Amino acid sequence: MHTTTLSTAANGAIITDHRHQFLTDVIEGLSSSPKCLHSKYFYDEQGDKLFQQIMQCPEYYPTRCEMEIIRQQREEIIGSVLKYLPQFDVVELGAGDASKSIHLLQTVCNTLPDFTYYPIDISWNIIQDLEKRLPEALPGLRIHGLHGEYLEMLQQTTELSHRNKLVLFMGGNIGNFDARTAVNFCRELRRTMRPGDLLLIGFDLKKHPQVILDAYNDKQGLTRDFNINLLHRINRELDADFDPMLFHHYPTYDPATGACKSYLVSLEKQKVCIGKEATITFEKDECIFMEVAQKYSPEEIQRLAFTAGFSPVGSFVDASGCFADCLWRG
Ligand SMILES: C[S@@+](CC[C@H](N)C(=O)[O-])C[C@H]1O[C@@H](n2cnc3c(N)ncnc32)[C@H](O)[C@@H]1O
Protein backbone atom coordinates (compact mmCIF):
# COMPACT_ATOMS: atom_id res chain seq x y z
CA MET A 1 0.00 0.00 0.00
CA HIS A 2 1.29 3.48 -0.70
CA THR A 3 0.19 7.09 -0.67
CA THR A 4 1.20 9.79 -3.10
CA THR A 5 0.29 13.47 -3.23
CA LEU A 6 1.47 13.68 -6.79
CA SER A 7 -0.56 12.68 -9.82
CA THR A 8 1.23 9.56 -10.90
CA ALA A 9 0.07 7.07 -13.50
CA ALA A 10 0.21 3.35 -12.72
CA ASN A 11 3.47 3.01 -14.65
CA GLY A 12 5.05 5.84 -12.68
CA ALA A 13 4.81 8.34 -15.55
CA ILE A 14 4.86 11.83 -14.16
CA ILE A 15 1.92 13.96 -15.11
CA THR A 16 0.96 17.56 -14.79
CA ASP A 17 1.27 18.53 -11.07
CA HIS A 18 4.75 17.21 -10.71
CA ARG A 19 5.95 18.48 -14.10
CA HIS A 20 4.56 21.93 -13.35
CA GLN A 21 6.36 22.14 -9.99
CA PHE A 22 9.60 20.83 -11.51
CA LEU A 23 9.38 23.35 -14.38
CA THR A 24 8.65 26.24 -12.02
CA ASP A 25 11.56 25.33 -9.72
CA VAL A 26 14.00 24.87 -12.63
CA ILE A 27 13.11 28.18 -14.30
CA GLU A 28 13.16 30.01 -10.97
CA GLY A 29 16.54 28.50 -10.03
CA LEU A 30 18.17 29.17 -13.40
CA SER A 31 16.81 32.74 -13.45
CA SER A 32 18.25 33.57 -10.03
CA SER A 33 21.71 34.92 -9.36
CA PRO A 34 23.76 32.85 -8.75
CA LYS A 35 21.96 30.16 -10.77
CA CYS A 36 20.93 27.06 -8.84
CA LEU A 37 19.01 23.79 -9.15
CA HIS A 38 17.31 21.99 -6.25
CA SER A 39 19.17 18.82 -5.27
CA LYS A 40 15.91 16.99 -4.49
CA TYR A 41 15.51 16.62 -8.28
CA PHE A 42 18.68 14.50 -8.52
CA TYR A 43 16.63 11.42 -7.72
CA ASP A 44 14.96 10.03 -10.83
CA GLU A 45 15.43 6.36 -11.74
CA GLN A 46 18.95 6.96 -13.09
CA GLY A 47 19.82 9.30 -10.18
CA ASP A 48 18.72 6.65 -7.65
CA LYS A 49 21.00 4.09 -9.39
CA LEU A 50 23.95 6.49 -9.50
CA PHE A 51 23.54 7.33 -5.81
CA GLN A 52 23.57 3.63 -4.95
CA GLN A 53 26.87 3.33 -6.87
CA ILE A 54 28.28 6.41 -5.10
CA MET A 55 27.50 4.77 -1.75
CA GLN A 56 29.71 1.81 -2.78
CA CYS A 57 32.68 3.79 -4.09
CA PRO A 58 35.91 3.84 -2.03
CA GLU A 59 36.08 7.61 -1.49
CA TYR A 60 32.50 7.92 -0.22
CA TYR A 61 33.08 7.12 3.47
CA PRO A 62 29.71 8.35 4.99
CA THR A 63 27.74 5.25 3.98
CA ARG A 64 30.40 2.83 5.27
CA CYS A 65 30.70 4.71 8.57
CA GLU A 66 26.96 4.96 9.15
CA MET A 67 26.53 1.31 8.16
CA GLU A 68 29.08 0.38 10.86
CA ILE A 69 27.12 2.39 13.45
CA ILE A 70 23.81 0.79 12.52
CA ARG A 71 25.13 -2.78 12.26
CA GLN A 72 27.23 -2.68 15.43
CA GLN A 73 25.08 -0.46 17.67
CA ARG A 74 21.53 -1.26 16.55
CA GLU A 75 20.65 -3.07 19.78
CA GLU A 76 21.77 -0.04 21.83
CA ILE A 77 19.92 2.35 19.51
CA ILE A 78 16.62 0.46 19.68
CA GLY A 79 17.19 -0.14 23.43
CA SER A 80 17.44 3.64 23.91
CA VAL A 81 14.24 4.18 21.90
CA LEU A 82 12.36 1.58 23.97
CA LYS A 83 13.29 3.43 27.19
CA TYR A 84 11.07 6.28 26.00
CA LEU A 85 8.56 4.53 23.74
CA PRO A 86 7.28 1.02 24.58
CA GLN A 87 5.31 0.98 21.28
CA PHE A 88 6.10 2.95 18.14
CA ASP A 89 5.89 3.07 14.36
CA VAL A 90 8.93 3.90 12.24
CA VAL A 91 8.93 6.75 9.71
CA GLU A 92 11.94 7.29 7.46
CA LEU A 93 12.48 10.64 5.73
CA GLY A 94 14.28 10.22 2.38
CA ALA A 95 14.53 6.45 2.79
CA GLY A 96 16.54 5.79 -0.39
CA ASP A 97 17.30 2.09 -0.78
CA ALA A 98 16.98 1.56 3.03
CA SER A 99 20.25 -0.41 2.91
CA LYS A 100 21.16 0.85 6.41
CA SER A 101 17.75 1.22 7.99
CA ILE A 102 16.85 -2.38 7.08
CA HIS A 103 19.18 -3.49 9.90
CA LEU A 104 17.36 -1.27 12.40
CA LEU A 105 14.01 -2.52 11.10
CA GLN A 106 15.21 -6.10 11.60
CA THR A 107 15.96 -5.28 15.26
CA VAL A 108 12.56 -3.59 15.69
CA CYS A 109 10.85 -6.64 14.08
CA ASN A 110 12.57 -8.88 16.65
CA THR A 111 11.32 -6.70 19.51
CA LEU A 112 7.92 -5.31 18.54
CA PRO A 113 5.48 -7.74 16.92
CA ASP A 114 3.23 -5.01 15.60
CA PHE A 115 4.55 -1.83 14.01
CA THR A 116 4.32 -0.12 10.63
CA TYR A 117 7.24 1.25 8.62
CA TYR A 118 6.43 4.44 6.67
CA PRO A 119 9.24 5.21 4.20
CA ILE A 120 8.93 8.70 2.68
CA ASP A 121 10.71 9.60 -0.52
CA ILE A 122 10.37 12.13 -3.32
CA SER A 123 11.40 9.39 -5.76
CA TRP A 124 8.44 7.31 -6.90
CA ASN A 125 10.81 4.63 -8.09
CA ILE A 126 12.25 4.28 -4.55
CA ILE A 127 8.83 3.84 -2.93
CA GLN A 128 7.77 1.20 -5.44
CA ASP A 129 11.04 -0.68 -4.98
CA LEU A 130 10.89 -0.60 -1.15
CA GLU A 131 7.29 -1.80 -1.05
CA LYS A 132 8.23 -4.80 -3.18
CA ARG A 133 11.63 -5.65 -1.74
CA LEU A 134 11.40 -5.03 2.03
CA PRO A 135 8.54 -7.43 2.88
CA GLU A 136 10.49 -10.14 1.00
CA ALA A 137 13.61 -9.38 3.05
CA LEU A 138 11.74 -8.95 6.36
CA PRO A 139 8.71 -11.29 6.26
CA GLY A 140 5.75 -9.89 8.17
CA LEU A 141 6.94 -6.27 7.90
CA ARG A 142 3.99 -3.90 7.49
CA ILE A 143 5.03 -1.14 5.11
CA HIS A 144 3.15 1.92 3.86
CA GLY A 145 5.22 4.02 1.45
CA LEU A 146 4.59 7.74 1.07
CA HIS A 147 5.67 9.49 -2.10
CA GLY A 148 6.30 13.20 -1.65
CA GLU A 149 8.06 15.87 0.42
CA TYR A 150 9.49 15.10 3.88
CA LEU A 151 7.23 17.22 6.07
CA GLU A 152 3.99 16.94 4.08
CA MET A 153 4.28 13.16 4.18
CA LEU A 154 5.30 13.12 7.86
CA GLN A 155 2.13 15.08 8.58
CA GLN A 156 0.18 12.34 6.79
CA THR A 157 1.72 9.64 9.00
CA THR A 158 0.36 11.43 12.08
CA GLU A 159 -3.10 11.07 10.53
CA LEU A 160 -2.54 7.44 9.46
CA SER A 161 -1.37 6.25 12.89
CA HIS A 162 -1.88 7.61 16.40
CA ARG A 163 1.16 5.81 17.79
CA ASN A 164 4.33 7.59 18.73
CA LYS A 165 6.98 7.50 16.02
CA LEU A 166 10.67 6.84 15.68
CA VAL A 167 11.60 9.16 12.80
CA LEU A 168 14.76 8.22 10.87
CA PHE A 169 16.58 10.95 8.96
CA MET A 170 19.79 9.20 8.03
CA GLY A 171 22.62 9.38 5.52
CA GLY A 172 23.43 12.97 6.36
CA ASN A 173 20.32 14.16 4.44
CA ILE A 174 20.16 17.07 6.91
CA GLY A 175 23.46 18.18 5.33
CA ASN A 176 21.59 18.98 2.11
CA PHE A 177 20.26 22.08 3.88
CA ASP A 178 22.63 24.98 4.52
CA ALA A 179 23.23 25.62 8.21
CA ARG A 180 20.49 28.26 8.59
CA THR A 181 17.85 26.33 6.61
CA ALA A 182 18.69 23.24 8.71
CA VAL A 183 17.60 25.11 11.88
CA ASN A 184 14.28 26.09 10.31
CA PHE A 185 13.75 22.58 8.94
CA CYS A 186 14.46 20.96 12.34
CA ARG A 187 12.06 23.39 14.05
CA GLU A 188 9.33 22.47 11.53
CA LEU A 189 10.18 18.80 11.95
CA ARG A 190 9.74 19.02 15.72
CA ARG A 191 6.41 20.84 15.29
CA THR A 192 5.20 18.11 12.91
CA MET A 193 6.28 15.28 15.24
CA ARG A 194 4.08 14.42 18.23
CA PRO A 195 5.42 15.33 21.67
CA GLY A 196 7.62 12.48 22.88
CA ASP A 197 8.43 11.18 19.37
CA LEU A 198 12.09 10.37 18.74
CA LEU A 199 14.33 11.38 15.85
CA LEU A 200 17.44 9.43 14.81
CA ILE A 201 19.35 11.92 12.68
CA GLY A 202 22.68 11.36 10.88
CA PHE A 203 25.47 13.95 10.68
CA ASP A 204 28.68 13.81 8.69
CA LEU A 205 31.32 15.18 11.07
CA LYS A 206 34.02 17.74 10.23
CA LYS A 207 37.33 16.03 9.45
CA HIS A 208 40.41 16.48 7.23
CA PRO A 209 39.22 18.68 4.34
CA GLN A 210 40.86 16.48 1.67
CA VAL A 211 38.96 13.40 2.87
CA ILE A 212 35.70 15.32 2.50
CA LEU A 213 36.54 16.80 -0.90
CA ASP A 214 37.63 13.41 -2.28
CA ALA A 215 34.28 11.89 -1.22
CA TYR A 216 32.49 14.34 -3.56
CA ASN A 217 35.04 14.02 -6.36
CA ASP A 218 35.44 10.25 -6.78
CA LYS A 219 37.91 8.96 -9.36
CA GLN A 220 35.26 6.98 -11.26
CA GLY A 221 33.33 10.21 -11.89
CA LEU A 222 30.12 8.90 -10.32
CA THR A 223 29.42 12.14 -8.43
CA ARG A 224 30.02 14.08 -11.65
CA ASP A 225 27.56 11.81 -13.50
CA PHE A 226 25.05 12.18 -10.64
CA ASN A 227 25.16 16.00 -11.01
CA ILE A 228 25.13 15.92 -14.83
CA ASN A 229 22.19 13.49 -14.73
CA LEU A 230 19.96 16.34 -13.56
CA LEU A 231 20.61 18.14 -16.87
CA HIS A 232 19.59 14.96 -18.75
CA ARG A 233 16.47 14.76 -16.58
CA ILE A 234 15.55 18.38 -17.36
CA ASN A 235 16.05 17.65 -21.08
CA ARG A 236 13.86 14.57 -20.92
CA GLU A 237 11.05 15.74 -18.65
CA LEU A 238 10.94 19.45 -19.51
CA ASP A 239 11.91 19.23 -23.17
CA ALA A 240 15.08 21.29 -22.63
CA ASP A 241 18.22 21.27 -24.76
CA PHE A 242 21.16 21.26 -22.32
CA ASP A 243 24.37 19.90 -23.87
CA PRO A 244 25.79 18.15 -20.76
CA MET A 245 29.25 18.03 -22.42
CA LEU A 246 29.38 21.82 -22.09
CA PHE A 247 29.25 21.70 -18.27
CA HIS A 248 32.07 20.76 -15.90
CA HIS A 249 31.52 19.33 -12.40
CA TYR A 250 33.29 21.45 -9.75
CA PRO A 251 33.11 20.38 -6.06
CA THR A 252 34.47 22.61 -3.25
CA TYR A 253 34.88 22.27 0.52
CA ASP A 254 35.34 25.18 2.94
CA PRO A 255 36.68 23.85 6.27
CA ALA A 256 35.85 27.15 7.99
CA THR A 257 32.11 26.84 7.41
CA GLY A 258 31.86 23.05 6.91
CA ALA A 259 30.04 23.60 3.61
CA CYS A 260 30.87 21.15 0.84
CA LYS A 261 29.27 22.53 -2.33
CA SER A 262 29.07 21.28 -5.88
CA TYR A 263 28.66 23.35 -9.01
CA LEU A 264 28.34 22.81 -12.74
CA VAL A 265 30.46 25.33 -14.67
CA SER A 266 29.41 26.43 -18.16
CA LEU A 267 32.40 25.85 -20.46
CA GLU A 268 31.26 28.48 -22.95
CA LYS A 269 28.76 31.28 -23.46
CA GLN A 270 25.56 29.49 -24.41
CA LYS A 271 21.76 29.56 -24.46
CA VAL A 272 19.57 26.72 -23.18
CA CYS A 273 15.84 26.43 -23.94
CA ILE A 274 13.60 24.95 -21.27
CA GLY A 275 10.79 23.75 -23.55
CA LYS A 276 8.94 26.71 -24.96
CA GLU A 277 8.70 28.27 -21.51
CA ALA A 278 12.13 29.90 -21.02
CA THR A 279 15.53 30.55 -22.57
CA ILE A 280 18.44 30.76 -20.15
CA THR A 281 21.73 32.45 -21.06
CA PHE A 282 24.99 31.23 -19.53
CA GLU A 283 28.22 33.24 -19.62
CA LYS A 284 31.47 31.30 -20.04
CA ASP A 285 32.55 30.04 -16.55
CA GLU A 286 29.18 30.86 -15.01
CA CYS A 287 28.22 28.27 -12.37
CA ILE A 288 25.03 26.48 -11.38
CA PHE A 289 24.99 25.74 -7.64
CA MET A 290 23.80 22.11 -7.41
CA GLU A 291 24.07 20.87 -3.82
CA VAL A 292 25.43 21.51 -0.36
CA ALA A 293 26.61 18.72 1.94
CA GLN A 294 27.05 20.53 5.27
CA LYS A 295 29.51 19.06 7.80
CA TYR A 296 29.07 19.50 11.56
CA SER A 297 31.12 19.50 14.76
CA PRO A 298 29.63 17.76 17.83
CA GLU A 299 29.05 21.21 19.42
CA GLU A 300 27.16 22.44 16.34
CA ILE A 301 24.96 19.32 16.46
CA GLN A 302 24.08 19.97 20.13
CA ARG A 303 23.30 23.61 19.36
CA LEU A 304 21.07 22.63 16.43
CA ALA A 305 19.11 20.19 18.64
CA PHE A 306 18.49 22.77 21.37
CA THR A 307 17.73 25.64 18.96
CA ALA A 308 15.11 23.50 17.21
CA GLY A 309 13.54 22.52 20.55
CA PHE A 310 14.75 18.90 20.76
CA SER A 311 16.41 17.21 23.75
CA PRO A 312 19.44 15.14 22.73
CA VAL A 313 19.17 11.74 24.45
CA GLY A 314 21.82 9.64 22.69
CA SER A 315 24.72 9.75 20.25
CA PHE A 316 26.22 6.86 18.28
CA VAL A 317 29.54 7.43 16.50
CA ASP A 318 31.59 5.08 14.27
CA ALA A 319 35.05 3.89 15.36
CA SER A 320 36.87 6.39 13.11
CA GLY A 321 34.84 9.33 14.47
CA CYS A 322 33.66 10.31 10.97
CA PHE A 323 29.89 10.07 11.33
CA ALA A 324 27.30 10.41 14.12
CA ASP A 325 23.70 9.21 14.43
CA CYS A 326 22.04 11.26 17.17
CA LEU A 327 18.85 10.43 19.04
CA TRP A 328 16.73 13.50 19.82
CA ARG A 329 13.46 13.64 21.72
CA GLY A 330 10.72 15.98 20.49
C1 LIG B 1 21.24 10.99 -0.20
S1 LIG B 1 19.90 9.87 -0.39
C2 LIG B 1 20.01 9.08 1.19
C3 LIG B 1 19.14 7.89 1.33
C4 LIG B 1 19.11 7.24 2.72
N1 LIG B 1 18.58 8.14 3.74
C5 LIG B 1 20.47 6.75 3.14
O1 LIG B 1 20.91 7.10 4.23
O2 LIG B 1 21.09 6.00 2.40
C6 LIG B 1 18.57 11.00 -0.22
C7 LIG B 1 17.17 10.42 -0.42
O3 LIG B 1 16.23 11.41 0.01
C8 LIG B 1 15.24 11.62 -0.99
N2 LIG B 1 14.85 13.05 -0.92
C9 LIG B 1 15.62 14.12 -1.23
N3 LIG B 1 14.95 15.27 -1.00
C10 LIG B 1 13.71 14.90 -0.54
C11 LIG B 1 12.56 15.64 -0.11
N4 LIG B 1 12.56 16.97 -0.11
N5 LIG B 1 11.49 14.94 0.33
C12 LIG B 1 11.49 13.57 0.31
N6 LIG B 1 12.55 12.82 -0.09
C13 LIG B 1 13.65 13.47 -0.50
C14 LIG B 1 15.91 11.23 -2.29
O4 LIG B 1 14.99 10.82 -3.29
C15 LIG B 1 16.85 10.10 -1.87
O5 LIG B 1 16.27 8.83 -1.98
Side-chain angles (χ1 to χ4, degrees):
M1 186 181 189
H2 62 257
T3 307
T4 176
T5 49
L6 307 174
S7 309
T8 310
N11 65 359
I14 297 155
I15 49 179
T16 42
D17 286 1
H18 187 193
R19 185 186 184 279
H20 180 72
Q21 188 60 53
F22 185 26
L23 178 68
T24 307
D25 289 346
V26 165
I27 293 178
E28 199 178 296
L30 294 180
S31 308
S32 64
S33 180
K35 290 181 168 57
C36 61
L37 287 170
H38 200 303
S39 61
K40 69 183 176 186
Y41 292 117
F42 281 153
Y43 301 91
D44 64 350
E45 198 172 345
Q46 181 61 9
D48 292 338
K49 275 194 202 128
L50 283 164
F51 188 71
Q52 279 154 21
Q53 288 173 275
I54 290 172
M55 289 198 293
Q56 303 293 329
C57 83
E59 295 92 336
Y60 196 76
Y61 62 85
T63 303
R64 275 194 308 282
C65 296
E66 194 178 33
M67 184 66 97
E68 180 205 299
I69 297 173
I70 301 301
R71 282 197 140 142
Q72 295 187 5
Q73 303 184 56
R74 58 188 172 161
E75 300 289 343
E76 288 88 332
I77 295 172
I78 298 304
S80 303
V81 174
L82 286 166
K83 272 192 221 154
Y84 295 95
L85 304 175
Q87 293 283 335
F88 57 88
D89 286 327
V90 179
V91 179
E92 181 160 17
L93 309 179
D97 67 0
S99 53
K100 287 165 286 174
S101 46
I102 193 170
H103 300 288
L104 277 181
L105 292 171
Q106 172 77 71
T107 306
V108 180
C109 282
N110 295 344
T111 322
L112 291 179
D114 175 40
F115 78 100
T116 303
Y117 171 55
Y118 296 97
I120 292 172
D121 208 287
I122 195 122
S123 165
W124 169 244
N125 171 54
I126 287 281
I127 294 299
Q128 276 187 311
D129 174 61
L130 290 177
E131 288 197 330
K132 180 171 179 303
R133 214 167 29 82
L134 283 198
E136 287 166 11
L138 299 175
L141 178 75
R142 216 164 45 221
I143 176 167
H144 182 136
L146 293 134
H147 172 216
E149 289 279 345
Y150 298 135
L151 295 180
E152 276 172 44
M153 294 299 106
L154 179 61
Q155 179 61 44
Q156 283 204 19
T157 67
T158 63
E159 289 151 21
L160 288 165
S161 138
H162 296 295
R163 284 213 184 131
N164 273 113
K165 308 283 185 307
L166 167 63
V167 178
L168 308 177
F169 194 32
M170 294 165 52
N173 285 26
I174 187 68
N176 294 139
F177 297 112
D178 63 50
R180 190 181 312 168
T181 314
V183 173
N184 293 333
F185 179 81
C186 288
R187 279 202 181 113
E188 256 335 285
L189 181 54
R190 194 190 57 81
R191 278 192 210 112
T192 313
M193 289 164 61
R194 288 176 48 179
D197 283 355
L198 289 167
L199 172 68
L200 185 71
I201 179 167
F203 290 94
D204 193 10
L205 298 173
K206 286 181 173 167
K207 57 187 69 64
H208 194 294
Q210 194 61 52
V211 174
I212 293 176
L213 192 56
D214 288 350
Y216 294 85
N217 199 21
D218 62 280
K219 290 202 178 73
Q220 289 176 71
L222 292 165
T223 317
R224 177 201 61 216
D225 294 350
F226 182 61
N227 279 263
I228 292 283
N229 179 57
L230 181 47
L231 304 187
H232 287 293
R233 180 178 185 184
I234 295 171
N235 282 350
R236 201 174 49 250
E237 293 184 21
L238 303 180
D239 196 23
D241 62 359
F242 272 107
D243 179 351
M245 299 296 284
L246 295 182
F247 288 86
H248 173 81
H249 173 233
Y250 179 69
T252 66
Y253 177 61
D254 176 359
T257 61
C260 183
K261 293 183 177 177
S262 55
Y263 297 89
L264 290 180
V265 186
S266 174
L267 295 177
E268 56 184 55
K269 186 174 167 80
Q270 54 180 313
K271 282 197 168 104
V272 174
C273 295
I274 313 294
K276 292 190 175 43
E277 285 89 353
T279 302
I280 309 292
T281 304
F282 289 88
E283 296 303 323
K284 181 174 183 305
D285 299 332
E286 190 177 355
C287 295
I288 314 175
F289 169 52
M290 302 295 284
E291 184 179 45
V292 63
Q294 182 68 37
K295 310 303 168 192
Y296 285 83
S297 67
E299 298 71 30
E300 287 163 338
I301 296 173
Q302 287 279 100
R303 207 176 313 132
L304 176 58
F306 288 123
T307 313
F310 285 99
S311 308
V313 294
S315 174
F316 307 88
V317 180
D318 69 297
S320 65
C322 280
F323 200 93
D325 278 310
C326 301
L327 192 62
W328 295 355
R329 190 153 187 257

